[in-house]
């Protein structure tokens, strides 16, 4: 846990947002594009190992969830509980339903059978536009070579496909999970591999879950997203280093939406260049104006030296004209 958080903090502070370090090597950080409008190609980005945060924005008009807030949640807020609907840093106006809620991490919640707590609103009819793609599930197993586990200790990660694929790399790297490919998963089916009662932990506004067939939470269908009541984990899960590793990796690496885009490196360079130009040009203008003023004064002084004072010259000219008129017209 501590090692993972130190790694996360280091990457957040010192590495490029597009880079991540794993197993001693630097890779391009996996990203998920979240498109909410067809007006342009701009999209918010969901980053694995990203820090999230920033100001939330609204889903654009024309989208099925138009007007709802999304984004703004931070990595430290990603963890929920075993209660469906948990893990929302904001927008929980009602604890008995998830219908109408915002998307703080950029993804809407999972859904379960019988439209539990209004989750049918985010059902398979919107899988085509769900951020990260349709809901999928992948088994998480390991071997006794790395952990003291039994054949019964298997977990399932449930979430959008694009979050699961790169997260599997982190599971394999950090927790020695046996590689496996995700498969499409419909949580609303009565014969689903894992059910609502099997969820061990929710993450990311209940849009991602870790579940195990070996766990049955008798409080799972309590329609209260803030309840703390849950069936205790069996001892082999509660004290399992493997479960804790998978849990920690999910908390640290699961993709969440980035801050709204700021100035690009090119924009920043242009801004710095413009400021630099201002710093250089303004003094030059001042110097040129000053030199121009000096030249004007020098020119006037030179004319006075060469021809005399203009006022005296003008007065002498007028006096001469008077004299000429007198001489001309006696």
């Amino acid at each position: 846990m501590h090692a993972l958080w130190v790694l996360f903090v280091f990457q957040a502070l010192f590495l490029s947002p597009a880079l991540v370090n794993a197993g001693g090597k630097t890779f391009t950080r996996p990203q998920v594009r979240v498109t909410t409008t067809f007006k342009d190609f701009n999209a918010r980005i969901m980053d694995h190992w990203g820090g999230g945060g920033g100001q939330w924005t609204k889903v654009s008009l024309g989208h099925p969830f138009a007007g709802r807030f999304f984004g703004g949640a931070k990595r430290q807020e990603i963890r929920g509980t075993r209660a469906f609907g948990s893990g929302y840093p904001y927008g929980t106006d009602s604890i008995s339903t998830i219908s109408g809620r915002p998307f703080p991490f950029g993804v809407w919640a999972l859904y379960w059978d019988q439209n539990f707590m209004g989750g049918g609103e985010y059902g398979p009819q919107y899988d085509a536009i769900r951020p990260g793609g349709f809901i999928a599930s992948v088994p998480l197993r390991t071997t006794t070579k790395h952990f003291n586990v039994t054949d019964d200790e298997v977990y399932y990660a449930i979430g959008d496909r694009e979050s699961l694929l790169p997260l599997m790399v982190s599971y394999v790297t950090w927790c020695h999970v046996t590689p496996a490919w995700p498969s499409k998963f419909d949580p609303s089916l009565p014969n689903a591999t894992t059910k609502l009662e099997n969820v061990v932990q929710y993450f990311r506004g209940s849009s991602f879950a870790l579940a195990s067939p070996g766990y049955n939470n008798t409080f799972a269908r309590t329609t209260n997203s803030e309840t703390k009541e849950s069936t205790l984990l069996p001892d082999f899960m509660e004290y399992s280093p493997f479960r804790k590793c998978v849990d920690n990796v999910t908390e640290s690496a699961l993709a969440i939406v980035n801050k709204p885009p700021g100035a690009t490196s090119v924009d920043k360079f242009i801004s710095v260049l413009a400021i630099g130009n201002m710093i250089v040009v303004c003094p030059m203008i001042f110097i040129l104006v000053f030199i121009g003023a000096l030249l004007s004064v020098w020119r006037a002084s030179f004319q006075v030296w060469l021809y005399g004072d203009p006022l005296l010259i003008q007065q002498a000219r007028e006096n001469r004209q008077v004299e000429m008129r007198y001489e001309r017209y006696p």
Side-chain angles (χ1 to χ4, degrees):
M1 176 72 177
H2 292 124
L4 288 174
W5 273 105
V6 168
L7 175 67
F8 165 68
V9 171
F10 173 80
Q11 290 169 169
L13 291 176
F14 299 108
L15 293 183
S16 163
L19 301 177
V20 64
N21 186 282
K25 298 180 180 180
T26 301
F27 301 92
T28 300
R29 177 180 291 169
Q31 296 181 328
V32 179
R33 292 178 62 85
V34 181
T35 301
T36 61
T37 179
F38 297 127
K39 293 181 180 179
D40 50 45
F41 290 105
N42 292 331
R44 294 289 292 276
I45 301 297
M46 292 173 58
D47 249 340
H48 287 261
W49 298 88
Q55 184 61 44
W56 57 68
T57 54
K58 281 188 177 182
V59 178
S60 302
L61 293 176
H63 192 278
F65 302 121
R68 297 198 194 182
F69 289 108
F70 75 100
K74 299 178 181 179
R75 171 68 58 181
Q76 299 92 313
E77 301 168 315
I78 197 172
R79 192 174 187 82
T81 64
R82 290 175 195 143
F84 185 55
S86 62
Y88 281 77
Y90 66 85
T92 53
D93 296 331
S94 172
I95 62 173
S96 62
T97 180
I98 62 169
S99 178
R101 288 191 183 184
F103 316 123
F105 297 95
V107 188
W108 48 82
L110 299 172
Y111 54 87
W112 296 102
D113 60 316
Q114 302 175 22
N115 189 31
F116 181 67
M117 291 183 66
E121 178 178 271
Y122 314 107
Q125 69 274 19
Y126 290 131
D127 269 358
I129 61 171
R130 174 181 285 270
F134 58 78
I135 294 178
S137 174
V138 63
L140 305 178
R141 296 184 176 89
T142 190
T143 63
T144 54
K145 179 180 178 181
H146 301 286
F147 294 98
N148 184 20
V149 294
T150 65
D151 292 339
D152 295 331
E153 189 172 357
V154 56
Y155 304 94
Y156 286 84
I158 304 169
D160 60 280
R161 180 197 62 220
E162 294 303 314
S163 290
L164 281 173
L165 285 170
L167 191 59
M168 192 65 183
V169 176
S170 296
Y171 287 145
V172 172
T173 301
W174 292 96
C175 303
H176 306 287
V177 165
T178 303
W181 291 99
S183 58
K184 193 170 184 179
F185 177 70
D186 186 348
S188 63
L189 294 178
N191 60 344
T193 309
T194 51
K195 303 180 183 301
L196 174 67
E197 291 80 4
N198 301 141
V199 173
V200 175
Q201 181 70 48
Y202 284 106
F203 299 89
R204 203 178 61 179
S206 292
S207 65
F208 195 92
L210 291 177
S212 175
Y215 174 66
N216 183 61
N217 182 10
T218 58
F219 297 91
R221 294 198 176 266
T222 302
T223 55
N224 180 353
S225 60
E226 295 183 358
T227 183
K228 303 298 181 183
E229 290 186 303
S230 65
T231 302
L232 295 177
L233 292 176
D235 285 349
F236 75 91
M237 287 187 189
E238 179 67 32
Y239 303 106
S240 169
F242 176 57
R243 180 192 65 80
K244 292 178 181 179
C245 182
V246 167
D247 184 281
N248 292 337
V249 166
T250 305
E251 184 177 356
S252 302
L254 181 60
I256 60 175
V257 71
N258 274 342
K259 295 179 181 179
T264 63
S265 299
V266 174
D267 293 333
K268 292 177 181 178
F269 174 75
I270 292 174
S271 299
V272 171
L273 187 62
I275 293 172
N277 286 337
M278 290 289 291
I279 293 173
V280 173
V281 170
C282 287
M284 289 182 64
I285 293 175
F286 175 78
I287 291 171
L288 290 174
V289 170
F290 181 72
I291 292 174
L294 286 178
L295 288 174
S296 298
V297 172
W298 177 84
R299 181 173 179 272
S301 300
F302 180 74
Q303 287 179 335
V304 169
W305 175 79
L306 186 63
Y307 302 108
D309 191 331
L311 294 177
L312 295 177
I313 293 173
Q314 180 65 25
Q315 184 64 46
R317 184 179 293 117
E318 291 176 355
N319 292 339
R320 180 60 178 164
Q321 288 175 348
V322 171
E323 292 175 357
M324 288 180 67
R325 283 197 302 270
Y326 174 79
E327 292 176 353
R328 189 173 182 180
Y329 302 102

